[in-house]
Each structure stands twice: as C-alpha cells, then as structure tokens.
Amino acid sequence: MKILHVVGARPNFMKVAPVWRAIDKMTDFDQLLIHTGQHYDKNMSDVFFNELELREPNEYLGVGSGSHAEQTAAIMVAIEQILTKNKPDFVMVYGDVNSTVAATIVCSKLLIPVGHVEAGLRSFDRTMPEEINRLITDQISNILFTPSKDANINLLREGISLENIHLVGNVMIDTLVRLLPKSDISFMKEISYPYALVTLHRPSNVDHDIMLREIIKTLIEISKSIQVIFPVHPRTKQKIDEFSLEIPDSGNLRLMEPIGYLDFLALQSRAKVVITDSGGIQEETTFLGVPCLTVRENTERPVTVSIGTNSLVGKDMELLKEKMYNILDGKFKHGKVPQLWDGNASIRIVKVLKSM
Ligand code: UD1
C-alpha cells in the first residue's frame, strides 16, 4: 500500500512525525512525504524537520503565503500533479490548515481515499478559517481519526458513518511523549524563573489594531509581576510593525523569534502559566499540567477545558489579568490528561490502516 502524507504548516509537522515512524516499521507500506511550503521560514519549518527527525520531503511544492484563495488554489494545482504522478493508494492529511483542505478536495475529485488525522474538532465558529477547513475536510475524507470523544459526537451529528470514525487519541501528544526527555537544553539557562510563556497568531487577535494593542498593553502590565517570554509568530510580527506598536525592550517582557520544537517544549513544560490562542498548545499544556489561559471566545478542543488545565478568557483582558494573578497565588485548576492521550495514537492509526 502506497501512502502519501501531505503537510504544509508548522502544526502539521509534529502530527505527521509519529504516524510516519509507526508506518515505517511495517514492511507492507511505502510512504511519500509532500510539503506544500505553506510555511517556509527556517524557524517555521526546517527546524521542525530536524528536531522531529523527519525525512526530507519527497516533494516540496513551495506555494508560500497569499490570501486564502491564492494559497489554497496554489496548493490544489500543485498537489494534483503530484498525485497524478505518484498514484498513491491512500493519502493522509493532518489538522485544519489550508494545506489540509486543499489536498483533501483534490483527492476527492481524483477518487483517492483520504484519512484525516485530528478529525471532528469543532469550535462552532465559522469566522475562523480553520473551522471551514475542518468542516470540508471531514465531510469528504474517507477515514476519520479522532483525538477525543467529543470529536466522534460532532462527526456523527454531521452524518458521518460510525464505521469510518476511529477514536485513536492525540498524535501531537505522541511526539511530546517521545521528545520531552530531550527538551532539557542549555537555552533554558538564560531564562529566570518563574515566567509566563505567550504565543499569539490568530487573525481574530492579531489582525486588528485595537485588539493587538490591548493585548500588548496587558502583557506589559503582567510583566511587572512576572517575566513574560513571547516568541513572536511571523503574522504577529508583521502586524506589530504594520500598526507601529511600541513595545518597551525591558528585561521582563522578552520578545524573540519563533523557536524550535524542543526549545518550545522546554519552555512550556517549566512555565508558571501559558497565555495562547493556539490549538495545539491548549492540548500540550493540558498534558503537561501547566495552567493555560486561552485568548479566544471558543475552542475546538473542549476537553482541555472540561478535563484539562485550560481556561478561556475570550477578549476580556481584565479577566486574563484576574486569572493570571490567581495562578501566581497558586489558585488554579490542576486538571487530568484526557483518555488515549498516551503516546500511542499513531500505533492505533497503523492498526486501522492495516485492517483496511
Ligand atoms: C497557519 C494556519 C493556522 C495555524 C498556523 C500555525 C491556515 C488557514 N492557518 O496560520 O491554522 O494555526 O499556521 O502557525 O492554514 N509567514 C512567514 N513565514 C512563514 C509562514 C508565514 O513569514 O514561514 C508570514 C507571512 O507573512 C504570511 C503570514 O505569516 O502571510 C501568515 O501565514 P499563513 O500561512 O497565511 O497563516 P498562519 O497565520 O501562519
């Protein structure tokens, strides 16, 4: 069986890595790795391939940035040629980025079956580009690999047949479990404890002048009580420059370039608190037992709130500060790890593939 994996953006890389490794141990599968080039900077892509010990992609499509239509269309055109040339038996797609939906649409027209890893997550917020990507990808994928029970319920409600849904657990946690022991690195010596770790890149937070200004003002205030470490996503950097936001270069609010997987894991696992709008980080903090404050009105990962350490603060900066100061006083939810977030999700995926 020839399996072709499509990845393109930073959060895809830690999801494909454990699946690739698990399939690689099987003699009856051939694999191909296609990188669309949706993310292309060294620190958004190459560093992850190195640290996750992923092989070089068989094909790099180099689509780069653009509007949603431009980016999605460019991926579709390029991927159609790759699929026609390589004729895979099965295609695996990951998460909810534009590369995921673009590849799935092309496969469905070429009648190539698709497996979607991280299927069924819903924020029920159709203003999020990722929610549109999730809805379309799941409707036209053939096999849906879900990370948690809520995802199965969402898919069944949308009319997906039960026999196509497989609750396998969280592949991102497979990578975390494997690499956490390697994440204790010298970089951490430059950081003083305790610290809050911040990541922000959602268009709803960073693409609007007033909102981004408000968030930065709040971080400056928070940094009077605790050191704030903020690796800045390229989208956010671009917006900080565009809106001419002034950020004092005080030692207590440290802005830095995006960092690699191992450094980020080291920072995350030792943080007093994480402030984020990322999906994956809500999951990783839940696994690590680190309190997480999510600057979003909703989440497609509700188990991180109901079971884990995550709290949604929406756009309410006063609430963010209140929760932040409670955490500094030791008052926070300790949380548990959701079922099947155990490092073996990719092994369960391989079992399903073998049974096909
Ligand atoms: C994308 C995903 C988002 C995911 C995020 C993780 C979609 C719709 N969005 O958002 O779900 O959470 O990745 O990072 O697929 N840029 C660079 N270098 C890069 C990549 C991007 O400088 O390597 C800059 C470009 O100016 C680009 C902007 O960042 O225009 C945004 O990149 P894009 O891929 O459009 O979306 P992300 O915000 O990264």
Side-chain angles (χ1 to χ4, degrees):
M1 187 174 187
K2 192 197 257 186
I3 299 191
L4 184 147
H5 305 259
V6 180
V7 293
R10 185 169 64 174
N12 290 159
F13 308 138
M14 36 291 223
K15 292 171 195 164
V16 74
V19 180
W20 179 282
R21 291 168 76 84
I23 295 177
D24 211 31
K25 296 196 179 108
M26 306 286 140
T27 49
D28 35 2
F29 290 97
D30 280 337
Q31 304 195 78
L32 292 173
L33 184 60
I34 310 302
H35 186 334
T36 65
Q38 177 176 345
H39 283 173
Y40 42 85
D41 282 350
K42 197 171 183 309
N43 56 17
M44 296 294 283
S45 177
D46 298 4
V47 65
F48 291 88
F49 272 71
N50 295 336
E51 293 185 353
L52 300 170
E53 297 158 44
L54 263 173
R55 54 151 296 145
E56 287 267 303
N58 296 84
E59 305 269 3
Y60 181 77
L61 309 183
V63 296
S65 302
S67 70
H68 283 276
E70 285 165 347
Q71 192 175 59
T72 310
I75 298 167
M76 286 177 68
V77 171
I79 213 99
E80 187 178 51
Q81 289 170 8
I82 299 294
L83 294 172
T84 310
K85 184 172 95 182
N86 289 286
K87 298 188 176 29
D89 299 303
F90 196 73
V91 169
M92 296 282 281
V93 296
Y94 297 84
D96 55 17
V97 301
N98 286 345
S99 299
T100 312
V101 70
T104 311
I105 293 173
V106 176
C107 288
S108 72
K109 300 283 177 83
L110 293 176
L111 306 180
I112 301 171
V114 177
H116 181 206
V117 177
E118 204 186 82
L121 298 185
R122 297 289 179 271
S123 65
F124 303 101
D125 174 1
R126 292 197 182 188
T127 65
M128 277 183 90
E130 293 81 1
E131 183 75 352
I132 306 302
N133 294 347
R134 293 180 200 117
L135 284 160
I136 296 172
T137 302
D138 286 341
Q139 274 300 320
I140 58 179
S141 290
N142 303 75
I143 306 285
L144 293 303
F145 297 107
T146 57
S148 47
K149 277 186 194 155
D150 56 288
N152 287 40
I153 294 167
N154 292 335
L155 293 173
L156 290 170
R157 195 193 310 110
E158 289 169 17
I160 308 276
S161 156
L162 180 62
E163 63 188 5
N164 295 335
I165 305 172
H166 299 273
L167 178 59
V168 292
N170 191 324
V171 288
M172 200 150 186
I173 301 300
D174 288 13
T175 294
L176 188 155
V177 167
R178 183 170 78 87
L179 292 178
L180 188 60
K182 290 192 189 169
S183 72
D184 187 11
I185 30 100
S186 58
F187 170 75
M188 293 302 298
K189 294 200 184 92
E190 297 163 28
I191 308 283
S192 61
Y193 295 85
Y195 59 86
L197 176 63
V198 177
T199 80
L200 295 164
H201 74 282
R202 293 274 160 220
S204 57
N205 282 328
V206 307
D207 283 8
H208 307 283
D209 186 341
I210 294 172
M211 185 63 200
L212 186 56
R213 212 169 273 277
E214 199 56 32
I215 294 175
I216 300 284
K217 196 175 114 201
T218 307
L219 294 179
I220 293 171
E221 225 172 291
I222 288 173
S223 76
K224 291 178 187 146
S225 307
I226 184 169
Q227 183 181 203
V228 177
I229 311 287
F230 184 7
V232 185
H233 186 281
R235 173 189 283 277
T236 311
K237 167 85 178 62
Q238 210 177 325
K239 295 297 170 185
I240 287 174
D241 294 346
E242 189 182 318
F243 304 146
S244 310
L245 299 186
E246 279 179 29
I247 303 175
D249 193 18
S250 84
N252 236 22
L253 172 57
R254 275 186 65 180
L255 270 59
M256 53 180 79
E257 293 280 307
I259 53 180
Y261 183 78
L262 293 174
D263 285 350
F264 193 78
L265 198 50
L267 276 175
Q268 211 181 169
S269 59
R270 294 157 178 82
K272 185 84 179 165
V273 53
V274 175
I275 299 170
T276 192
D277 57 12
S278 147
I281 293 170
Q282 295 173 52
E283 297 180 335
E284 289 172 341
T285 45
T286 274
F287 184 86
L288 295 166
V290 172
C292 178
L293 300 176
T294 298
V295 189
R296 284 178 48 189
E297 308 282 356
N298 49 54
T299 178
E300 61 289 336
R301 286 143 160 112
V303 285
T304 61
V305 176
S306 58
I307 297 180
T309 55
N310 190 18
S311 290
L312 303 183
V313 298
K315 293 183 186 300
D316 186 343
M317 292 298 108
E318 290 306 314
L319 183 62
L320 172 63
K321 281 186 278 181
E322 187 190 315
K323 294 215 177 215
M324 176 77 208
Y325 298 131
N326 279 338
I327 291 167
L328 295 186
D329 283 344
K331 286 180 241 156
F332 58 87
K333 182 167 66 121
H334 288 272
K336 290 195 188 108
V337 177
Q339 205 192 353
L340 302 181
W341 292 21
D342 58 359
N344 295 318
S346 46
I347 292 171
R348 291 183 203 104
I349 289 176
V350 171
K351 277 192 188 142
V352 175
L353 293 176
K354 278 187 79 96
S355 71
M356 270 161 46

Short mmCIF file of all heavy atoms in Angstrom, two decimals, residues 15 18-19 22-23 25 117 145-147 166-178 287 337-352:
data_model
loop_
_atom_site.label_atom_id
_atom_site.label_comp_id
_atom_site.label_asym_id
_atom_site.label_seq_id
_atom_site.Cartn_x
_atom_site.Cartn_y
_atom_site.Cartn_z
N LYS A 15 2.51 16.32 13.97
CA LYS A 15 1.44 15.31 13.85
C LYS A 15 1.85 14.20 12.88
O LYS A 15 1.56 13.03 13.11
CB LYS A 15 0.14 15.99 13.39
CG LYS A 15 -0.43 16.90 14.46
CD LYS A 15 -1.58 17.76 13.99
CE LYS A 15 -1.82 18.88 15.00
NZ LYS A 15 -2.63 19.97 14.47
N PRO A 18 5.00 11.12 14.23
CA PRO A 18 4.81 9.80 14.86
C PRO A 18 4.09 8.81 13.94
O PRO A 18 4.35 7.61 14.01
CB PRO A 18 3.95 10.11 16.09
CG PRO A 18 3.28 11.41 15.80
CD PRO A 18 4.20 12.16 14.90
N VAL A 19 3.21 9.32 13.07
CA VAL A 19 2.49 8.42 12.16
C VAL A 19 3.48 7.83 11.16
O VAL A 19 3.49 6.63 10.88
CB VAL A 19 1.33 9.17 11.44
CG1 VAL A 19 0.58 8.24 10.51
CG2 VAL A 19 0.37 9.78 12.48
N ALA A 22 5.58 5.18 12.85
CA ALA A 22 4.83 3.93 13.12
C ALA A 22 4.63 3.15 11.82
O ALA A 22 4.79 1.92 11.80
CB ALA A 22 3.49 4.27 13.77
N ILE A 23 4.31 3.84 10.73
CA ILE A 23 4.09 3.13 9.45
C ILE A 23 5.41 2.58 8.93
O ILE A 23 5.47 1.51 8.33
CB ILE A 23 3.43 4.08 8.42
CG1 ILE A 23 2.02 4.49 8.88
CG2 ILE A 23 3.34 3.41 7.04
CD1 ILE A 23 1.31 5.48 7.96
N LYS A 25 7.73 1.19 10.34
CA LYS A 25 8.11 -0.11 10.93
C LYS A 25 7.42 -1.27 10.22
O LYS A 25 7.75 -2.43 10.44
CB LYS A 25 7.74 -0.14 12.42
CG LYS A 25 8.50 0.90 13.23
CD LYS A 25 8.42 0.61 14.73
CE LYS A 25 9.21 1.63 15.52
NZ LYS A 25 8.39 2.58 16.25
N VAL A 117 -6.30 12.98 10.05
CA VAL A 117 -5.84 12.86 11.43
C VAL A 117 -6.18 14.15 12.17
O VAL A 117 -5.81 15.23 11.71
CB VAL A 117 -4.31 12.59 11.48
CG1 VAL A 117 -3.81 12.55 12.93
CG2 VAL A 117 -3.98 11.29 10.76
N PHE A 145 -9.79 9.95 11.82
CA PHE A 145 -9.06 9.58 13.04
C PHE A 145 -9.28 10.69 14.06
O PHE A 145 -8.80 11.83 13.85
CB PHE A 145 -7.57 9.42 12.74
CG PHE A 145 -7.26 8.32 11.76
CD1 PHE A 145 -6.87 8.63 10.46
CD2 PHE A 145 -7.35 6.99 12.13
CE1 PHE A 145 -6.57 7.62 9.55
CE2 PHE A 145 -7.05 5.97 11.23
CZ PHE A 145 -6.66 6.28 9.94
N THR A 146 -9.96 10.38 15.16
CA THR A 146 -10.31 11.45 16.11
C THR A 146 -9.45 11.38 17.38
O THR A 146 -9.01 10.31 17.79
CB THR A 146 -11.80 11.35 16.51
OG1 THR A 146 -12.03 10.04 17.05
CG2 THR A 146 -12.70 11.57 15.32
N PRO A 147 -9.24 12.57 18.01
CA PRO A 147 -8.41 12.61 19.21
C PRO A 147 -9.19 12.45 20.52
O PRO A 147 -8.60 12.16 21.55
CB PRO A 147 -7.79 14.02 19.16
CG PRO A 147 -8.78 14.84 18.40
CD PRO A 147 -9.51 13.92 17.47
N HIS A 166 -12.65 6.58 13.78
CA HIS A 166 -11.80 5.79 14.68
C HIS A 166 -11.21 6.70 15.75
O HIS A 166 -10.43 7.60 15.44
CB HIS A 166 -10.67 5.13 13.88
CG HIS A 166 -11.19 4.20 12.83
ND1 HIS A 166 -11.47 2.88 13.08
CD2 HIS A 166 -11.53 4.42 11.54
CE1 HIS A 166 -11.94 2.32 11.97
NE2 HIS A 166 -11.99 3.24 11.03
N LEU A 167 -11.61 6.46 16.98
CA LEU A 167 -11.07 7.23 18.11
C LEU A 167 -9.68 6.67 18.43
O LEU A 167 -9.56 5.57 18.97
CB LEU A 167 -12.01 7.09 19.31
CG LEU A 167 -11.60 7.79 20.60
CD1 LEU A 167 -11.45 9.29 20.40
CD2 LEU A 167 -12.63 7.52 21.70
N VAL A 168 -8.64 7.41 18.06
CA VAL A 168 -7.26 6.88 18.22
C VAL A 168 -6.47 7.64 19.28
O VAL A 168 -5.40 7.18 19.70
CB VAL A 168 -6.49 6.93 16.88
CG1 VAL A 168 -7.07 5.96 15.88
CG2 VAL A 168 -6.42 8.35 16.31
N GLY A 169 -6.94 8.82 19.69
CA GLY A 169 -6.16 9.64 20.62
C GLY A 169 -5.40 10.73 19.88
O GLY A 169 -5.63 10.97 18.70
N ASN A 170 -4.46 11.35 20.60
CA ASN A 170 -3.86 12.59 20.13
C ASN A 170 -2.41 12.37 19.65
O ASN A 170 -1.51 12.13 20.46
CB ASN A 170 -3.89 13.59 21.29
CG ASN A 170 -3.55 14.97 20.86
OD1 ASN A 170 -2.71 15.17 20.00
ND2 ASN A 170 -4.18 15.95 21.46
N VAL A 171 -2.20 12.47 18.33
CA VAL A 171 -0.85 12.20 17.78
C VAL A 171 0.18 13.25 18.21
O VAL A 171 1.37 12.96 18.29
CB VAL A 171 -0.85 12.11 16.23
CG1 VAL A 171 -1.51 10.84 15.75
CG2 VAL A 171 -1.46 13.32 15.59
N MET A 172 -0.30 14.47 18.47
CA MET A 172 0.63 15.52 18.90
C MET A 172 1.26 15.14 20.25
O MET A 172 2.42 15.43 20.51
CB MET A 172 -0.16 16.82 19.06
CG MET A 172 0.67 18.03 19.04
SD MET A 172 -0.32 19.36 18.37
CE MET A 172 0.87 20.62 18.26
N ILE A 173 0.46 14.46 21.06
CA ILE A 173 0.96 14.01 22.37
C ILE A 173 1.96 12.85 22.18
O ILE A 173 2.89 12.70 22.97
CB ILE A 173 -0.22 13.63 23.31
CG1 ILE A 173 -1.16 14.84 23.51
CG2 ILE A 173 0.28 13.08 24.65
CD1 ILE A 173 -0.52 16.07 24.12
N ASP A 174 1.80 12.07 21.11
CA ASP A 174 2.82 11.02 20.81
C ASP A 174 4.19 11.67 20.69
O ASP A 174 5.18 11.18 21.23
CB ASP A 174 2.53 10.32 19.47
CG ASP A 174 1.32 9.39 19.51
OD1 ASP A 174 0.55 9.47 20.48
OD2 ASP A 174 1.15 8.62 18.55
N THR A 175 4.24 12.78 19.93
CA THR A 175 5.52 13.46 19.73
C THR A 175 6.03 14.05 21.03
O THR A 175 7.21 13.95 21.36
CB THR A 175 5.35 14.56 18.65
OG1 THR A 175 5.06 13.90 17.42
CG2 THR A 175 6.59 15.41 18.48
N LEU A 176 5.12 14.64 21.79
CA LEU A 176 5.52 15.25 23.06
C LEU A 176 6.12 14.19 23.99
O LEU A 176 7.19 14.38 24.58
CB LEU A 176 4.30 15.92 23.71
CG LEU A 176 4.56 16.78 24.94
CD1 LEU A 176 3.46 17.84 25.08
CD2 LEU A 176 4.63 15.98 26.20
N VAL A 177 5.44 13.04 24.09
CA VAL A 177 5.91 11.97 24.99
C VAL A 177 7.31 11.51 24.57
O VAL A 177 8.19 11.32 25.39
CB VAL A 177 4.90 10.80 24.98
CG1 VAL A 177 5.48 9.55 25.64
CG2 VAL A 177 3.60 11.21 25.65
N ARG A 178 7.52 11.40 23.25
CA ARG A 178 8.82 10.92 22.78
C ARG A 178 9.94 11.94 23.02
O ARG A 178 11.05 11.58 23.38
CB ARG A 178 8.75 10.60 21.27
CG ARG A 178 10.04 10.02 20.71
CD ARG A 178 9.86 9.49 19.32
NE ARG A 178 9.85 10.53 18.31
CZ ARG A 178 10.92 11.03 17.71
NH1 ARG A 178 12.12 10.62 18.04
NH2 ARG A 178 10.81 11.98 16.79
N PHE A 287 -1.70 18.24 28.83
CA PHE A 287 -0.90 17.03 29.08
C PHE A 287 0.17 17.31 30.14
O PHE A 287 0.42 16.49 31.01
CB PHE A 287 -0.26 16.53 27.79
CG PHE A 287 0.48 15.25 27.99
CD1 PHE A 287 -0.17 14.03 27.91
CD2 PHE A 287 1.84 15.25 28.30
CE1 PHE A 287 0.51 12.83 28.14
CE2 PHE A 287 2.52 14.07 28.53
CZ PHE A 287 1.86 12.86 28.44
N VAL A 337 -5.27 14.26 32.36
CA VAL A 337 -4.95 14.00 30.95
C VAL A 337 -6.12 13.24 30.31
O VAL A 337 -6.55 12.22 30.85
CB VAL A 337 -3.65 13.19 30.83
CG1 VAL A 337 -3.35 12.85 29.38
CG2 VAL A 337 -2.49 13.97 31.44
N PRO A 338 -6.65 13.72 29.18
CA PRO A 338 -7.77 13.01 28.54
C PRO A 338 -7.38 11.58 28.12
O PRO A 338 -6.21 11.28 27.87
CB PRO A 338 -8.08 13.87 27.31
CG PRO A 338 -7.53 15.23 27.64
CD PRO A 338 -6.34 14.98 28.51
N GLN A 339 -8.41 10.75 28.02
CA GLN A 339 -8.25 9.35 27.63
C GLN A 339 -7.53 9.25 26.27
O GLN A 339 -7.83 10.04 25.37
CB GLN A 339 -9.67 8.80 27.49
CG GLN A 339 -9.80 7.33 27.66
CD GLN A 339 -11.19 6.88 27.20
OE1 GLN A 339 -12.06 7.69 26.90
NE2 GLN A 339 -11.39 5.59 27.15
N LEU A 340 -6.65 8.30 26.15
CA LEU A 340 -5.93 7.99 24.90
C LEU A 340 -4.90 9.06 24.48
O LEU A 340 -4.40 9.01 23.38
CB LEU A 340 -6.87 7.71 23.71
CG LEU A 340 -7.88 6.58 23.86
CD1 LEU A 340 -8.71 6.45 22.58
CD2 LEU A 340 -7.18 5.26 24.16
N TRP A 341 -4.61 9.99 25.36
CA TRP A 341 -3.51 10.93 25.09
C TRP A 341 -2.29 10.33 25.80
O TRP A 341 -1.81 10.84 26.81
CB TRP A 341 -3.82 12.34 25.61
CG TRP A 341 -4.93 13.04 24.89
CD1 TRP A 341 -5.91 12.48 24.14
CD2 TRP A 341 -5.15 14.46 24.84
NE1 TRP A 341 -6.75 13.45 23.63
CE2 TRP A 341 -6.30 14.67 24.05
CE3 TRP A 341 -4.50 15.57 25.39
CZ2 TRP A 341 -6.81 15.95 23.79
CZ3 TRP A 341 -5.02 16.84 25.14
CH2 TRP A 341 -6.15 17.02 24.34
N ASP A 342 -1.79 9.24 25.24
CA ASP A 342 -0.85 8.39 25.96
C ASP A 342 0.43 8.09 25.20
O ASP A 342 1.23 7.27 25.62
CB ASP A 342 -1.55 7.07 26.32
CG ASP A 342 -2.07 6.35 25.08
OD1 ASP A 342 -1.90 6.88 23.96
OD2 ASP A 342 -2.65 5.26 25.22
N GLY A 343 0.60 8.70 24.03
CA GLY A 343 1.82 8.43 23.25
C GLY A 343 1.65 7.31 22.25
O GLY A 343 2.60 6.98 21.53
N ASN A 344 0.46 6.69 22.18
CA ASN A 344 0.28 5.54 21.29
C ASN A 344 -0.78 5.75 20.22
O ASN A 344 -1.24 4.78 19.61
CB ASN A 344 -0.10 4.30 22.12
CG ASN A 344 1.05 3.89 23.03
OD1 ASN A 344 2.21 3.91 22.60
ND2 ASN A 344 0.74 3.58 24.27
N ALA A 345 -1.17 6.98 19.97
CA ALA A 345 -2.22 7.24 18.97
C ALA A 345 -1.79 6.77 17.58
O ALA A 345 -2.59 6.19 16.83
CB ALA A 345 -2.55 8.73 18.95
N SER A 346 -0.52 6.98 17.24
CA SER A 346 -0.08 6.61 15.89
C SER A 346 -0.08 5.09 15.70
O SER A 346 -0.33 4.60 14.60
CB SER A 346 1.29 7.20 15.59
OG SER A 346 2.14 7.00 16.67
N ILE A 347 0.16 4.35 16.77
CA ILE A 347 0.10 2.88 16.68
C ILE A 347 -1.34 2.45 16.39
O ILE A 347 -1.59 1.56 15.58
CB ILE A 347 0.65 2.25 17.98
CG1 ILE A 347 2.14 2.54 18.06
CG2 ILE A 347 0.38 0.75 18.04
CD1 ILE A 347 2.79 2.19 19.37
N ARG A 348 -2.29 3.16 17.00
CA ARG A 348 -3.71 2.83 16.74
C ARG A 348 -4.08 3.17 15.29
O ARG A 348 -4.86 2.47 14.66
CB ARG A 348 -4.62 3.58 17.72
CG ARG A 348 -4.48 3.09 19.14
CD ARG A 348 -5.44 3.79 20.10
NE ARG A 348 -4.87 3.67 21.42
CZ ARG A 348 -4.24 4.62 22.09
NH1 ARG A 348 -4.19 5.85 21.61
NH2 ARG A 348 -3.70 4.39 23.25
N ILE A 349 -3.49 4.24 14.78
CA ILE A 349 -3.75 4.60 13.37
C ILE A 349 -3.25 3.50 12.45
O ILE A 349 -3.93 3.08 11.51
CB ILE A 349 -3.11 5.98 13.04
CG1 ILE A 349 -3.89 7.08 13.75
CG2 ILE A 349 -3.05 6.22 11.52
CD1 ILE A 349 -3.31 8.48 13.60
N VAL A 350 -2.05 3.00 12.72
CA VAL A 350 -1.48 1.94 11.87
C VAL A 350 -2.37 0.70 11.92
O VAL A 350 -2.60 0.05 10.89
CB VAL A 350 -0.03 1.61 12.30
CG1 VAL A 350 0.48 0.38 11.58
CG2 VAL A 350 0.86 2.79 11.98
N LYS A 351 -2.90 0.38 13.09
CA LYS A 351 -3.79 -0.81 13.20
C LYS A 351 -4.99 -0.64 12.28
O LYS A 351 -5.40 -1.58 11.60
CB LYS A 351 -4.27 -0.97 14.65
CG LYS A 351 -3.28 -1.69 15.51
CD LYS A 351 -3.89 -2.11 16.84
CE LYS A 351 -2.78 -2.63 17.74
NZ LYS A 351 -2.95 -2.25 19.13
N VAL A 352 -5.54 0.57 12.25
CA VAL A 352 -6.70 0.81 11.37
C VAL A 352 -6.27 0.66 9.91
O VAL A 352 -6.95 0.01 9.11
CB VAL A 352 -7.28 2.23 11.61
CG1 VAL A 352 -8.40 2.53 10.62
CG2 VAL A 352 -7.79 2.38 13.05
#
